[in-house]
């Protein structure tokens, strides 16, 4: 199971001794800026406590492989409280920062949320685009194929105007517009798969080339930093792509579904 919906989710510990319950997600807005091979993603989500009691809230972030968290903040009492990724607590005894809890995951405890109250959180992270020859790909991890959560309003805006690509392909349900943006909007949506934007270049970069990106703005210390991708090439097996399609409609006999499930498990072990 892939766990959290999208890049981030919130859960409330409503009852002692029981697993935390996922909070309703009323709003999920994703803005992405692609500059060359670097993608900077900002995710703003609004969550709602529909239970009958106040409950401590936990925020969990599914970090894409190789991504660097650049910022995290939470809206409280009409204002935004900034938190530093990796910090134990923010300035002035505010909300805790994001803490790494395992591979490709971070979390933060956000205190109690009253019944009927909403809470907004925003996270920004940067990552290098995956590249294969002339093709680059940006993937936003929003899907859960097992138990997709309902999202009230979902908005995606990917700015490709500085990606320096020859052409691009938008995911299903999105559109590539004349200004170089890929846009998508959905209401009452249950995402089952991730959203991928494919970019196609005129030619592959030189094998000895290294990717780098210089910050456009100075950091808190007044300096501008250079981010260089030092990932070494790794020989990987080409393998074989295999797609299995199962019919889980109401007309399918439960016994046939169970047989198909066992066949899939056996096939994946080969």
């Amino acid at each position: 199971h892939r766990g959290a919906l999208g890049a981030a989710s919130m859960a409330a510990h409503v009852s002692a001794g029981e697993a935390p319950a996922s909070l309703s997600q009323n709003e999920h807005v994703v803005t992405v800026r692609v500059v060359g091979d670097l993608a900077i993603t900002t995710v703003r989500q609004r969550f709602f406590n529909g239970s009958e009691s106040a409950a401590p809230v936990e925020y969990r972030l599914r970090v894409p492989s190789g991504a660097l968290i650049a910022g995290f903040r939470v809206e409280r009492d009409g204002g935004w409280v900034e938190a530093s990724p990796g910090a134990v607590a923010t300035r002035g005894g505010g909300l805790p920062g994001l803490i790494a809890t395992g591979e490709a995951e971070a979390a933060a405890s956000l205190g109690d949320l009253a019944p009927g109250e909403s809470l907004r959180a925003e996270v920004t992270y940067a990552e290098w685009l995956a590249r294969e020859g002339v093709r680059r790909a940006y993937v936003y991890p929003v899907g859960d194929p097992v138990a997709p959560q309902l999202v009230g309003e979902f908005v995606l805006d990917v700015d490709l105007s500085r990606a320096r690509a020859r052409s691009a392909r938008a995911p299903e349900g999105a559109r590539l517009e004349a200004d170089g943006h890929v846009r998508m909007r959905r209401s009452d949506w249950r995402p089952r798969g991730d959203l991928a934007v494919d970019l196609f270049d005129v030619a592959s970069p030189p094998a000895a080339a290294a990717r780098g990106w210089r910050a456009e703005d100075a950091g808190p210390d007044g300096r501008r930093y250079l981010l260089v991708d030092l990932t070494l090439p790794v020989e990987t097996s080409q393998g074989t792509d295999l797609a299995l399609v199962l019919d889980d409609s109401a007309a399918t006999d439960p016994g046939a579904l169970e047989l198909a499930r066992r066949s899939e498990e056996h096939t994946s072990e080969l």
Side-chain angles (χ1 to χ4, degrees):
H1 193 290
R2 302 182 68 173
L5 167 73
S9 68
M10 279 193 195
H13 297 265
V14 178
S15 301
E18 295 186 4
S22 297
L23 296 181
S24 300
Q25 190 171 164
N26 297 341
E27 181 182 86
H28 191 145
V29 179
V30 184
T31 56
V32 186
R33 182 164 51 98
V34 180
V35 182
D37 274 7
L38 190 75
I40 303 168
T41 302
T42 298
V43 183
R44 180 178 293 188
Q45 295 163 283
R46 181 161 58 92
F47 300 88
F48 175 75
N49 181 10
S51 68
E52 298 179 354
S53 59
V57 173
E58 184 179 63
Y59 176 90
R60 286 195 169 273
L61 173 67
R62 179 157 62 100
V63 185
S65 177
L68 298 175
I69 298 175
F72 174 59
R73 62 180 187 164
V74 177
E75 188 180 41
R76 283 287 195 186
D77 300 325
W80 288 94
V81 179
E82 301 284 345
S84 300
V88 175
T90 58
R91 297 184 298 275
L95 297 172
L98 281 173
I99 306 298
T101 57
E103 184 178 356
E105 187 180 69
S109 297
L110 303 181
D112 288 350
L113 187 64
E117 187 178 22
S118 294
L119 177 63
R120 288 203 297 175
E122 180 182 284
V123 65
T124 298
Y125 60 86
E127 61 182 318
W128 294 108
L129 298 183
R131 175 181 283 278
E132 183 177 345
V134 299
R135 176 182 172 272
R136 290 175 287 160
Y138 169 80
V139 178
Y140 180 62
V142 69
D144 187 338
V146 178
Q149 187 182 356
L150 180 66
V151 181
E153 292 292 334
F154 177 83
V155 178
L156 173 72
D157 187 337
V158 184
D159 181 1
L160 302 177
S161 60
R162 299 177 61 188
R164 299 191 293 273
R166 174 179 58 84
S167 61
R169 181 170 58 199
E172 182 180 358
R175 62 186 185 279
L176 176 59
E177 301 186 347
D179 61 356
H181 286 241
V182 171
R183 294 186 173 93
M184 177 179 177
R185 181 181 291 272
R186 288 288 183 272
S187 297
D188 297 330
W189 185 49
R190 294 185 185 273
R192 293 185 177 273
D194 295 342
L195 299 176
V197 177
D198 294 320
L199 306 176
F200 301 94
D201 301 328
V202 175
S204 301
R211 300 188 290 188
W213 184 79
R214 185 179 65 180
E216 297 177 348
D217 302 315
D221 57 1
R223 300 177 180 178
R224 296 174 64 187
Y225 287 87
L226 176 68
L227 179 64
V228 180
D229 182 9
L230 299 180
T231 304
L232 297 176
V234 179
E235 291 293 334
T236 58
S237 172
Q238 295 297 320
T240 301
D241 293 333
L242 176 64
L244 298 178
V245 180
L246 303 180
D247 180 8
D248 62 350
S249 64
T252 304
D253 181 74
L257 277 178
E258 178 63 19
L259 179 61
R261 185 185 65 80
R262 293 185 180 182
S263 299
E264 184 275 331
E265 291 178 351
H266 177 70
T267 302
S268 63
E269 294 173 357
L270 294 179

